[in-house]
Amino acid sequence: MLTVGAAVLSFLLDLLLGDPAWMPHPVVFMGKLISLYERRARRRFPETDRGAFAGGLILALGLPLLVFGSAWGAIALLRRIHPALGFLLSVFWGWQALALRDMKKESANVYRTLETGSLEDAQRAVGRIVGRDTERLDEQGVIRAAVETVAESFSDGFIAPLFYLLLGGAPLALGYKAVNTMDSMIGYRNEQYLFFGRAAARLDDIVNYIPARISALLLILASVFCRLDTKRAYRIWQRDRRKHASPNSAQTESVMAGALGVQLAGPAWYFGEYHDKPAIGDPMRPVERDDILRANRMLYAGGFLGVLLLGAVRIGITLMLT
């Protein structure tokens, strides 16, 4: 019960405060560790495909274990001093593992910039939340990128860390964030990271496999409350959920495309390289600025449903085992 209580408090803190810019964040620390290790590994491992893979494999396995062990040890130490201190640290780190409010904030900023600024301003705004090259995007491309990122981040920015938070507390949630951070930094299929980042990318696929599918089902349910097209959301999910190169990304994107009645994904540029990705959804109509707001409503509705339903499942399992 304490795990569920900590998770709910973490969710409320994220909902109310997001991630204040002044507050040190563990993901920033993880990113610095990844960069430091990569620089040293590039020098110490042989400059071959096998050497790059070996260096990346050590990182992919070592960082999540280091993060999990450090967090578990810190919480256990505080619990020995006083149980309330360990609980408060669990709530604090659980809060930092969730990113619902910040995704809404950043995507809403893209919407406001489209309304009041130039296309170049909007490209820069969406560039804060996507990994693709944004300087080539027209207005519809900016909108699609924002909506896609809201859909994908619902899974890896909220439901997945919530899933692991309820499964194993803050240490497991932070361990997940370590995997996700590695994937976002080195999990690219380009010349630089094809082998060095391969293990991290595969591990990210594994740890997101169940949460991505839970996220898709939650978004389908959320579309009911948001008065969007639930039947089309389910149909497009069934049809297009395997179209992405990742086994997980298209799960939520396909639901979002179906619920909104638009087409997402398609060709994109990454680090100056053109990627001919398949489209997801049907072009029932062109995307429009308000689709960002609709996506955010689904994001929040799905978030509340996720806390309610996953929390209830965790309580039910706990009661069955006691």
Side-chain angles (χ1 to χ4, degrees), residues 1 3-5 7-8 162 166 218 304-320:
M1 295 297 184
T3 300
V4 176
V8 170
L162 176 67
L166 289 167
L218 287 170
F304 277 98
L305 289 168
V307 172
L308 178 65
L309 297 178
L310 292 179
V313 169
R314 170 63 199 247
I315 291 172
I317 292 173
T318 301
L319 293 175
M320 288 175 58

Side-chain angles (χ1 to χ4, degrees), residues 145-165:
V147 171
E148 290 166 24
T149 302
V150 169
E152 187 174 355
S153 295
F154 175 68
S155 177
D156 60 25
F158 184 73
I159 292 300
L162 176 67
F163 175 83
Y164 288 107
L165 189 61

Side-chain angles (χ1 to χ4, degrees), residues 103 106-107 109-111 113-114 119-150 292:
M103 176 47 57
E106 292 292 343
S107 56
N109 181 53
V110 176
Y111 173 84
T113 306
L114 285 168
L119 177 60
E120 290 75 17
D121 292 333
Q123 290 169 342
R124 284 191 291 271
V126 79
R128 290 169 53 90
I129 57 174
V130 301
R132 72 191 67 180
D133 301 343
T134 60
E135 66 275 5
R136 301 173 185 266
L137 299 177
D138 58 11
E139 179 173 323
Q140 288 200 340
V142 168
I143 296 169
R144 278 194 297 271
V147 171
E148 290 166 24
T149 302
V150 169
I292 299 175

Side-chain angles (χ1 to χ4, degrees), residues 199-305:
R202 293 294 178 269
L203 184 58
D204 187 75
D205 288 342
I206 292 169
V207 299
N208 277 302
Y209 191 86
I210 293 175
R213 285 145 185 81
I214 294 174
S215 299
L217 295 174
L218 287 170
L219 282 183
I220 291 172
L221 185 57
S223 69
V224 177
F225 293 92
C226 295
R227 298 183 178 181
L228 296 170
D229 196 327
T230 303
K231 289 184 179 179
R232 191 192 300 123
Y234 179 77
R235 179 172 59 82
I236 298 299
W237 174 63
Q238 287 278 18
R239 191 191 73 188
D240 291 352
R241 59 183 173 173
R242 298 182 182 88
K243 280 192 173 182
H244 203 283
S246 162
N248 303 318
S249 294
Q251 296 287 329
T252 49
E253 286 183 24
S254 58
V255 174
M256 188 68 74
L260 297 178
V262 300
Q263 194 168 70
L264 301 176
W269 290 80
Y270 295 87
F271 303 103
E273 295 183 8
Y274 178 80
H275 293 256
D276 190 17
K277 298 164 60 178
I280 294 173
D282 296 327
M284 307 291 292
R285 59 172 178 81
V287 293
E288 59 187 23
R289 295 172 184 177
D290 283 354
D291 286 325
I292 299 175
L293 303 182
R294 296 180 185 110
N296 279 337
R297 286 197 290 271
M298 286 185 67
L299 177 78
Y300 262 46
F304 277 98
L305 289 168

